[in-house]
Amino acid sequence: MSIYLNFGGFSFEKTFYRTYEQISSSSITDFTISWVFSIIFWAASYCSFFLSYCWIYQPLHSFGKKGISYTFSKPQKIVSTYFAGLIGAYIFAGVGILITKILLGSSPNSNPVADGMTLFGLLKTIPMLLGEELITIILLIIIANLLGGTRKALIVAVIISTLIFGFLHLPTYDWNFAQVIFIIAAARIPFTLASLRSDSLYTGLLIHITYDWIIFILVILSHH
């Protein structure tokens, strides 16, 4: 199945060699169960190396080596996309904080991972963030294809995958739905758009790492 999408001028063209139709006719049950178990493992453990293996193996099993090579292709327009995405993420998160605190009267909870972060610990977050990017983008592609691969399908896929990303953070933020929707999920949108615009998961991952690391470093400095 080849998918060509255009979202606000952003093009995204990928071909996956194990299509949804092939999965449906061969092993849709195995495909579904394997992804469900991967999500459970993600939620149940922050073991970085295990998570990294889990998220690299699952898309490889589902789409094959060639499909994954497209996802990890060389980014296009990486410099402008990187800075636009990073700035956009902080703007979205800032607006989300205002909505959460002023309009909804909810106080955002701190991130326990950030509170206990060390400079060495920053490196351990890379496999975890890679896993978050993989599950979000792979889910987006699956949903967009299932809905027909149109521009509207992409918009719906971005919304659904973004909300799932946010909901996966509920345990981290003490089940604060307002926070994960208006802050965590909102900040996720520029990551996804950056990957779409650059035709590569690398761009969204780089922005995600920078975004989190800046916050973590500020927390570390505040403790000294």
Side-chain angles (χ1 to χ4, degrees):
M1 177 182 292
S2 179
I3 178 172
Y4 181 84
L5 302 169
N6 189 280
F7 182 74
F10 300 162
S11 63
F12 186 54
E13 185 173 14
K14 304 293 178 189
T15 302
F16 290 94
Y17 288 80
R18 187 178 180 189
T19 66
Y20 176 73
E21 287 80 4
Q22 290 173 324
I23 295 170
S24 297
S25 61
S26 61
S27 185
I28 184 63
T29 302
D30 172 68
F31 178 81
T32 304
I33 291 176
S34 62
W35 274 99
V36 168
F37 272 101
S38 289
I39 293 175
I40 293 173
F41 288 141
W42 187 96
S45 172
Y46 264 37
C47 178
S48 298
F49 293 104
F50 178 76
L51 288 172
S52 180
Y53 167 81
C54 204
W55 290 127
I56 290 175
Y57 170 77
Q58 271 313 130
L60 182 64
H61 169 74
S62 301
F63 300 113
K65 294 181 180 179
K66 291 185 178 181
I68 294 303
S69 70
Y70 286 127
T71 305
F72 288 94
S73 59
K74 182 179 179 180
Q76 306 296 317
K77 304 177 182 178
I78 185 170
V79 176
S80 60
T81 304
Y82 169 79
F83 284 106
L86 183 61
I87 294 171
Y90 282 115
I91 292 175
F92 278 44
V95 172
I97 291 174
L98 294 177
I99 294 174
T100 302
K101 295 180 68 174
I102 298 176
L103 297 182
L104 301 179
S106 175
S107 298
N109 297 318
S110 62
N111 185 335
V113 176
D115 291 337
M117 184 59 63
T118 63
L119 290 177
F120 177 74
L122 291 175
L123 297 177
K124 296 181 180 180
T125 65
I126 294 178
M128 183 177 66
L129 298 179
L130 171 60
E132 292 182 355
E133 289 303 307
L134 280 169
I135 186 59
T136 305
I137 295 301
I138 295 299
L139 284 175
L140 182 151
I141 294 171
I142 292 174
I143 295 168
N145 273 288
L146 289 177
L147 296 179
T150 63
R151 179 178 177 179
K152 290 182 179 179
L154 178 59
I155 294 174
V156 173
V158 169
I159 294 173
I160 294 176
S161 61
T162 297
L163 288 175
I164 291 174
F165 172 85
F167 291 151
L168 287 173
H169 288 78
L170 278 170
T172 302
Y173 294 99
D174 198 23
W175 300 91
N176 189 329
F177 279 85
Q179 181 175 2
V180 300
I181 292 174
F182 293 105
I183 302 176
I184 306 303
R188 162 78 244 175
I189 296 174
F191 304 163
T192 299
L193 296 183
S195 292
L196 294 177
R197 185 173 191 259
S198 64
D199 275 345
S200 176
L201 183 141
Y202 282 126
T203 311
L205 175 61
L206 182 59
I207 296 171
H208 195 168
I209 291 174
T210 306
Y211 176 89
D212 278 14
W213 279 20
I214 289 176
I215 295 175
F216 290 154
I217 290 173
L218 291 175
V219 172
I220 293 172
L221 294 176
S222 69
H223 291 165
H224 292 79

